[in-house]
Amino acid sequence: MKRIALFPGSFDPFTKGHEDIVLRGLKLFDEIIVAIGYNSGKSVRYFEIELMLDCIRKTFAGYPNIKVVTFSELTAEFARKNGAQYLLRGLRNTTDFEYENSIAQVNRYLNAELESVFLITSPQFASISSSIIREVHRYKGDVTSFLPYKL
Ligand code: ADP
């Protein structure tokens, strides 16, 4: 059976750290669905969802086994509908761990078939965060070296 992983996130914006998780995930899975979702805890987006969809699609244009979509429902439910058996997430530090741990427990409760898989960040991307990129961009700073595409 094809191993399909869902990589959900706000991706506001999608960074080189995210790209690294997807490309490393390809060694484990036959197909990865990158799914841009709405994180209710993060309210209003900074980068338009349609813009991010385009940017991520451009980033993985050469990869037929990477799909890029948007979604606005429970992650566990979206995974079930799309035949994903795995939920891929990245971990940078203990703050990420605390957050990911609670999400993973809820997702297990909602869909027991869905296995969460975590990849530890590569050291060169450990300090890249979407929120810092948003701050730099807001004040017209250059963010190109943090992103795998041109804005
Ligand atoms: P969410 O709003 O769902 O937390 P994010 O877009 O912030 O979505 O992150 C998506 C996933 O990518 C999360 O698992 C997060 O921990 C992970 N991630 C974010 N930045 C990095 C990075 N630099 N290296 C590795 N993983 C990362």
Side-chain angles (χ1 to χ4, degrees):
M1 196 169 53
K2 225 163 95 165
R3 290 169 174 261
I4 304 175
L6 183 68
F7 182 48
S10 311
F11 306 131
D12 189 21
F14 190 88
T15 71
K16 283 190 177 172
H18 295 129
E19 179 195 32
D20 177 61
I21 297 294
V22 174
L23 294 179
R24 287 165 53 207
L26 275 189
K27 294 178 195 148
L28 305 172
F29 307 110
D30 300 308
E31 183 182 315
I32 296 182
I33 306 170
V34 180
I36 313 170
Y38 293 90
N39 182 331
S40 48
K42 293 188 182 171
S43 59
V44 185
R45 290 188 67 88
Y46 180 81
F47 291 100
E48 297 270 348
I49 214 159
E50 290 300 321
L51 170 68
M52 242 347 96
L53 186 65
D54 269 10
C55 291
I56 306 173
R57 282 189 173 151
K58 252 189 261 162
T59 303
F60 298 121
Y63 295 85
N65 48 351
I66 299 176
K67 296 201 171 112
V68 188
V69 299
T70 63
F71 76 112
S72 56
E73 63 182 306
L74 277 175
T75 305
E77 195 50 39
F78 187 71
R80 193 201 313 271
K81 284 183 190 160
N82 286 275
Q85 311 96 325
Y86 304 93
L87 197 57
L88 177 62
R89 297 283 288 179
L91 289 176
R92 285 164 296 186
N93 48 41
T94 53
T95 310
D96 275 354
F97 174 78
E98 300 269 332
Y99 178 62
E100 296 295 337
N101 185 32
S102 55
I103 298 182
Q105 300 301 353
V106 174
N107 283 328
R108 187 200 303 275
Y109 167 77
L110 294 171
N111 177 356
E113 303 298 304
L114 186 64
E115 196 64 67
S116 293
V117 175
F118 302 93
L119 292 182
I120 299 287
T121 185
S122 299
Q124 66 270 38
F125 304 123
S127 57
I128 298 183
S129 77
S130 297
S131 57
I132 290 176
I133 293 174
R134 288 197 297 274
E135 279 310 292
V136 174
H137 191 266
R138 202 188 302 275
Y139 294 106
K140 312 275 182 255
D142 182 12
V143 294
T144 47
S145 59
F146 303 117
L147 307 176
Y149 47 82
K150 280 211 161 49
L151 272 177

